[in-house]
Amino acid sequence: QVQLVESGGDLVQPGGSLKLSCVASGRWNRIMSVGWFRQAPGTQREMVAVMASGGGTAYGDSVKARFTISRDYASNTHYLQMNSLKPEDTAVYYCQIVVRTFQRQDMEYWGKGTLVTVSS
C-alpha cells in the first residue's frame, strides 16, 4: 500500500504563486510516474502536470509556462510550483503516483486533495 500526503493549498491573490508538495510512503519496486490533477466544482478531474520516471514532463494546456512539476527522489516528494495564478486555477488539487510493485504490477494511487483558491 502507498500513501500520499499533499500540502500547500491556500488562498492566494490573482497573479500570486503557490507551491504544492506531495510525500509518498509505502513499498514499491519503482516509481513509474508522478503527477498533479485538479477538479473544480461541477467539472471533471483534469491533468495538470505529470512527470515520467525518466524525467519527461507533460502539462495541461491551461497551465503551460505557468506551472512546473518537480521531484525530489531522495525524499519521495514531488512538487507543483504554480506561478501567475488565475481565478480559474481554483480547484482541489490531487497528487497521483504510479508505482510498479514487486509483483510487477503497475498500481495508481491518489492523495486526498488540497484546496487552492485564487481570489482577491
Side-chain angles (χ1 to χ4, degrees), residues 1-2 26-31 99-107 109:
Q1 190 71 7
V2 174
R27 296 184 74 247
W28 54 79
N29 185 23
R30 180 183 178 190
I31 293 177
V99 303
R100 181 156 294 169
T101 69
F102 292 102
Q103 294 73 37
R104 299 187 181 278
Q105 287 183 312
D106 288 354
M107 302 290 290
Y109 296 91

Side-chain angles (χ1 to χ4, degrees), residues 1-7 21-25 35-39 45 78 92-98 108-115:
Q1 190 71 7
V2 174
Q3 293 79 41
L4 299 177
V5 178
E6 303 116 327
S7 62
S21 301
C22 177
V23 181
S25 61
W36 290 94
F37 292 71
R38 69 185 182 186
Q39 188 169 20
R45 190 173 297 188
H78 61 282
V92 177
Y93 284 71
Y94 298 90
C95 69
Q96 176 244 28
I97 193 169
V98 177
E108 181 182 55
Y109 296 91
W110 294 87
K112 293 183 179 180
T114 185
L115 177 62

Side-chain angles (χ1 to χ4, degrees), residues 19-22 34-36 49-51 57 59 67-73 77-81:
K19 187 172 185 177
L20 306 182
S21 301
C22 177
V34 296
W36 290 94
V50 293
M51 176 181 282
T57 58
Y59 293 91
F67 291 10
T68 303
I69 187 171
S70 62
R71 182 180 166 192
D72 180 350
Y73 290 78
T77 303
H78 61 282
Y79 305 94
L80 183 69
Q81 177 66 47

Side-chain angles (χ1 to χ4, degrees), residues 39-58:
Q39 188 169 20
T43 69
Q44 291 187 330
R45 190 173 297 188
E46 65 173 348
M47 187 271 286
V48 176
V50 293
M51 176 181 282
S53 59
T57 58

